[in-house]
């Protein structure tokens, strides 16, 4: 049980970092060398929960027209985008498929639901494992003191 809780804490910490670090890296890259253009939303689907799904955009890049999906930030995608709408985006000229809305490059979301869930679960699981370790040590120590033949 203790190993399982430590393992789950490690998994949730890894998930948190996977939501946080790639988004921050992308934002930093786009802030330093990104090019802002106006893109046309070609498709804006909803996921099975009714939230924003994959958002496909088309814009003029360095080597012609680029059709790609907007990257998510921490597991979240931009809301309120409809097919045919124009949206300001910033893309990486080295790799034009790395694109975010300009609004998110300038002011990315602080935290997203997946980030919050993993950030809450990690310390809970870790504290549960530590609690069980301490409790087990106390029980073993009490058992040694109660057994005079040991």
């Amino acid at each position: 049980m203790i190993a399982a809780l430590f393992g789950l804490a490690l998994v949730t910490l890894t998930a948190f970092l996977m939501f946080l670090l790639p988004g921050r890296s992308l934002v930093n890259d786009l802030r330093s060398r990104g090019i802002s253009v106006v893109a046309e939303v070609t498709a804006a689907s909803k996921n099975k929960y009714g939230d924003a799904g994959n958002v496909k955009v088309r814009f003029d890049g360095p080597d012609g027209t680029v059709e790609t999906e907007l990257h998510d930030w921490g597991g979240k995608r931009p809301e309120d985008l409809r097919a045919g709408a124009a949206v300001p985006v910033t893309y990486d000229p080295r790799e034009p498929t790395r694109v975010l809305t300009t609004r998110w490059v300038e002011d990315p979301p602080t935290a997203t639901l997946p980030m919050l869930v993993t950030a809450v679960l990690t310390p809970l699981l870790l504290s549960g494992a530590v609690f069980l370790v301490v409790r087990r040590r106390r029980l073993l120590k009490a058992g040694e003191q109660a057994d005079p033949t040991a």
Side-chain angles (χ1 to χ4, degrees), residues 38-58:
V38 175
E40 176 189 359
V41 177
T42 57
S45 63
K46 299 280 185 189
N47 65 18
K48 64 182 178 180
Y49 305 109
D51 296 328
N54 295 337
V55 178
K56 295 181 181 182
V57 295
R58 178 176 40 227

Side-chain angles (χ1 to χ4, degrees), residues 20-94:
L20 179 68
L21 297 179
R24 290 202 187 264
S25 174
L26 178 59
V27 166
N28 289 337
D29 288 349
L30 294 179
R31 282 181 179 169
S32 66
R33 64 175 178 259
I35 297 174
S36 295
V37 296
V38 175
E40 176 189 359
V41 177
T42 57
S45 63
K46 299 280 185 189
N47 65 18
K48 64 182 178 180
Y49 305 109
D51 296 328
N54 295 337
V55 178
K56 295 181 181 182
V57 295
R58 178 176 40 227
F59 58 90
D60 292 328
D63 297 324
T65 302
V66 176
E67 292 189 34
T68 187
E69 290 180 2
L70 289 177
H71 278 266
D72 66 293
W73 197 96
K76 181 178 180 179
R77 302 209 185 267
E79 300 281 341
D80 301 328
L81 295 178
R82 292 176 178 74
V87 60
V89 297
T90 303
Y91 71 92
D92 185 345
R94 296 180 188 170

Side-chain angles (χ1 to χ4, degrees), residues 6 17 27 38 61 75 80 112 132 135 138:
F6 274 122
L17 293 175
V27 166
V38 175
D80 301 328
T112 63
L132 288 177
R135 185 170 186 269
R138 284 186 184 164

Side-chain angles (χ1 to χ4, degrees), residues 104-125:
W104 278 15
V105 172
E106 294 170 354
D107 185 27
T110 305
T112 63
L113 183 60
M115 290 171 66
L116 291 174
V117 168
T118 56
V120 168
L121 283 178
T122 300
L124 287 176
L125 292 168

